[in-house]
Amino acid sequence: MEEYPFQMDRFEFVMLNGPLSLCCTVVNLFCIFCIFSPKRAAAIKQPLRILLASVVMCSAILQTLFLQYIVMIFQFSLSTPHKIVQTVLKELVEISMTTTVWLNVFYFSQIVPPQSTFSIWLKRNIKCTVYSVMIFDKFLFLADIPLVLLWQ
């Protein structure tokens, strides 16, 4: 069993993380509504729309699985479904971080004037670059889950 620097019983964990997770889920639903609303959707251009949608959808799935994880803490001990949910949560956090990094790269390419040849190339090919990296990242995400689960 892993050692943690602090101890928290199940009731404290649920009382702390349950309401926070519910609030985050409500905020994610609002963001999903704003991104996919027909009036606002026309104003958001690609690839910004897909990057924002990816971050928000990943966060929504993460919060939903975290709520399920909270329920599983009360029902089970460390069992196989528990480890599967933990693995998927870890992978979702990783994919959310890489999507956020590429969102920042997109903002950088739109705000900062290009001065090097790489910056000029990135600004011209940002759409293709973002799509390629996101497809590659999702592929690695889907390929990593079975491998991690098999080696546990």
Side-chain angles (χ1 to χ4, degrees):
M1 180 135 185
E2 298 177 30
E3 286 293 322
Y4 295 104
F6 59 90
Q7 294 295 324
M8 184 181 291
D9 67 348
R10 293 178 181 184
F11 180 74
E12 291 171 343
F13 181 80
V14 171
M15 292 308 294
L16 177 67
N17 291 308
L20 289 174
S21 188
L22 284 172
C23 289
C24 289
T25 302
V26 170
V27 170
N28 284 328
L29 291 174
F30 175 74
C31 290
I32 290 169
F33 172 75
C34 290
I35 289 174
F36 294 113
S37 174
K39 291 182 182 179
R40 301 276 181 216
I44 302 175
K45 304 268 191 238
Q46 293 293 355
L48 179 60
R49 185 174 179 187
I50 192 127
L51 285 168
L52 289 174
S54 179
V55 168
V56 170
M57 294 300 285
C58 198
S59 179
I61 294 169
L62 183 71
Q63 291 304 321
T64 305
L65 277 176
F66 193 72
L67 285 172
Q68 181 181 359
Y69 182 71
I70 289 172
V71 170
M72 290 177 79
I73 283 178
F74 267 135
Q75 294 176 349
F76 305 109
S77 61
L78 292 177
S79 61
T80 303
H82 187 79
K83 290 181 181 185
I84 291 172
V85 171
Q86 275 184 328
T87 303
V88 173
L89 282 171
K90 181 186 81 67
E91 295 294 329
L92 281 170
V93 168
E94 289 175 4
I95 205 164
S96 178
M97 283 193 277
T98 58
T99 305
T100 304
V101 166
W102 280 100
L103 184 63
N104 290 329
V105 168
F106 174 76
Y107 284 144
F108 174 81
S109 72
Q110 299 302 308
I111 295 171
V112 176
Q115 295 178 353
S116 67
T117 55
F118 178 73
S119 301
I120 294 169
W121 178 86
L122 183 65
K123 186 169 180 110
R124 288 184 185 158
N125 300 313
I126 190 69
K127 199 182 275 191
C128 180
T129 305
V130 166
Y131 289 145
S132 300
V133 167
M134 286 193 61
I135 289 170
F136 182 70
D137 188 43
K138 302 305 186 267
F139 174 74
L140 286 179
F141 166 69
L142 291 175
D144 192 34
I145 289 178
L147 294 176
V148 169
L149 288 175
L150 286 175
W151 282 324
Q152 280 188 353

